[in-house]
Amino acid sequence: MKLVKSLLLGSAAGLIAVGGAQAADLPVKAKAVEYVKICSLYGAGFYYIPGTDTCIKFGGYLRADLLFNTNSDYGIGQGTPGGANNRLDNYYHTRARLDFTIDTRTATEYGVVRTYADTVFSWDTQSVTGSNPSTLIGTPNTSATLGLYHAFIQFAGFTFGRTVSIFDAPWQSYPAGGPDFLPGGSNNVTGVNQVAYTADFGQGITGSVALQDMTTAAGGQTNLWNVSSGTAAGFITGVYGANDWGGTRSPDIVGQVRVDQAWGLFQISAAAHNMHTAYYGATELTGHPDDKWGWAVQGALSIKNIPTGAGDSINLQAVYTDGASRYNFQSLFPQTIFIYGGSGIAYQSIGFAGIADGVFGLGTGIESVKTWGFRGGYTHNWSPNWSSGIYGAYASLRYGNTGKALICANFVAGLAPSAGAAGCNPDFNLAVIGGNVVWTPVKGLAFTADVSYVWLDQKYSGTIVAPANLAVAKPATTYELKDQGNLQMLLRAQRNF
């Protein structure tokens, strides 16, 4: 019996071992691979993020620019060193740029939840600063810049984060392409921090309200001059005093009504802008002016499908501001201007201008600065591969009687003008006109040639005895006060993806 039991147990153990070996040889079912699926809910280019119900789209462009007679990409040709018009001034400028966007959307019971981010990487030609040519604006390895233009969340009609202003026209400051520096309306293409709500009333009619952080120099806050701190050296660069903003007190309050139809669109926008200064002097004991509210209103009109051709368009806008000058002389426009030129009666000529929301002096209140302007453009498509545009802009700035008196007191005291007080008037006008041709040989690839001319119509007259401006190697001598202009050209290659 013992022998029989041993044989049975041995046989069973052998069968178990063989069965285990066979089981080990069987293939194991692999986990399902999660392939990226196309998301057709929000248009072309969206895909589902694997394992989620969120759709994502990547996009952007790569751009190469070559500009002539300017020291910055689409710059106005003024200031340091562009306004010098001497050996420190660049005759050309280059830029390489990568723009990368990320767009996500998720359908929920409250509607679509959207996030959007737009980052920009650029490398620009270096410029000389100061009278020493070895000193550069942007030393090697620091000419690269990183920008965050948009970063926002949209949910149930609300927008939280950084994006364009609801005050802006849809084309920003590019009614038919053109440069960054067109005045005549707002432009926050690089974004502004905000909280906004948009209501859709149907039939293409929407209304929006927003609280916007316009306290940065690159946003909606221009100069608020304490003229008692004005100097002759600052005056000839368009700086009429200390930029004497205090801390933040209120965001800008902005509203917009817009009508979108097949024929185009119409939009009207309004903004309230708080001016809150620091102190008259260095300490609290010197006192301060009371706060004052400025405001701006803008209308925009776009006409599409006009008889000249399919896809042709006309874009127009006009703006008026009182104590909110950035809504006219927009975020990419220089807030102080100086340009040197030739003269037949003095060493050289100079034109300068300063933009401000308001002006005050020792013991005075804030006097707001008033501006108005308009810009427009026409785009024509000659064929699927060729298009052209023409554009123009005009803006005017006016100081009040108190502001002029304060500014001109420093002008007479510091610059010994030949025409005395009669030669002092800080008001000015500025005009831009230009055109472009765009060749699109294949979809997403465009080559652009754009020419623009800027004219500064300043209101000072006579001659002045100016101090040295060593930033642009200008000596202390006599200069004629004169209008100035600048012509520039852009050549661009851009691939959108």
Side-chain angles (χ1 to χ4, degrees), residues 29-288:
K29 185 177 181 181
K31 292 183 179 180
V33 177
E34 294 190 62
Y35 294 99
V36 175
K37 296 186 297 182
I38 293 175
C39 174
S40 60
L41 297 174
Y42 312 109
F46 281 92
Y47 295 87
Y48 283 101
I49 298 175
T52 75
D53 58 356
T54 296
C55 300
I56 191 168
K57 178 180 180 179
F58 300 106
Y61 62 79
L62 197 145
R63 173 187 294 172
D65 288 352
L66 171 61
L67 298 103
F68 299 96
N69 202 33
T70 181
N71 283 261
S72 60
D73 194 275
Y74 259 158
I76 199 172
Q78 65 82 42
T80 305
N85 289 313
N86 62 11
R87 295 181 66 84
L88 303 184
D89 184 19
N90 287 346
Y91 281 7
Y92 71 91
H93 181 90
T94 65
R95 168 178 285 178
R97 168 170 284 184
L98 168 65
D99 179 281
F100 183 65
T101 62
I102 305 171
D103 191 346
T104 73
R105 307 189 194 191
T106 307
T108 74
E109 58 185 306
Y110 299 99
V112 175
V113 176
R114 183 190 185 196
T115 68
Y116 186 85
D118 182 6
T119 56
V120 177
F121 306 85
S122 302
W123 184 281
D124 283 63
T125 296
Q126 300 165 1
S127 294
V128 175
T129 178
S131 57
N132 181 358
S134 65
T135 306
L136 300 174
I137 299 174
T139 55
N141 299 319
T142 63
S143 288
T145 57
L146 169 64
L148 180 64
Y149 284 1
H150 303 270
F152 63 83
I153 300 169
Q154 287 181 325
F155 173 70
F158 287 92
T159 298
F160 307 93
R162 184 175 185 84
T163 188
V164 297
S165 170
I166 65 170
F167 192 92
D168 298 346
W171 51 85
Q172 299 297 318
S173 65
Y174 315 101
D180 290 332
F181 52 76
L182 291 188
S186 65
N187 174 25
N188 290 280
V189 68
T190 59
V192 57
N193 290 357
Q194 62 186 275
V195 176
Y197 178 76
T198 298
D200 190 340
F201 301 109
Q203 306 297 318
I205 302 173
T206 58
S208 302
V209 293
L211 299 177
Q212 297 183 166
D213 181 9
M214 306 292 274
T215 56
T216 62
Q221 183 170 286
T222 184
N223 299 295
L224 182 55
W225 273 320
N226 183 343
V227 182
S228 61
S229 301
T231 65
F235 214 105
I236 61 172
T237 64
V239 178
Y240 297 155
N243 193 9
D244 209 4
W245 285 95
T248 58
R249 286 299 180 270
S250 174
D252 283 17
I253 304 167
V254 185
Q256 174 223 91
V257 176
R258 177 168 157 176
V259 180
D260 286 273
Q261 302 290 339
W263 55 262
L265 69 87
F266 173 74
Q267 174 181 308
I268 187 165
S269 312
H273 176 67
N274 181 250
M275 291 181 281
H276 175 80
T277 73
Y279 298 96
Y280 289 122
T283 72
E284 299 170 353
L285 298 178
T286 60
H288 59 82

Side-chain angles (χ1 to χ4, degrees), residues 303-343:
I303 304 173
K304 301 177 182 178
N305 301 320
I306 56 180
T308 56
D312 289 9
S313 64
I314 297 174
N315 295 325
L316 304 168
Q317 66 190 107
V319 65
Y320 183 86
T321 74
D322 186 342
S325 298
R326 276 280 201 181
Y327 288 98
N328 185 358
F329 296 95
Q330 40 94 2
S331 63
L332 299 180
F333 192 90
Q335 299 302 289
T336 57
I337 298 170
F338 70 88
I339 305 172
Y340 288 87
S343 173

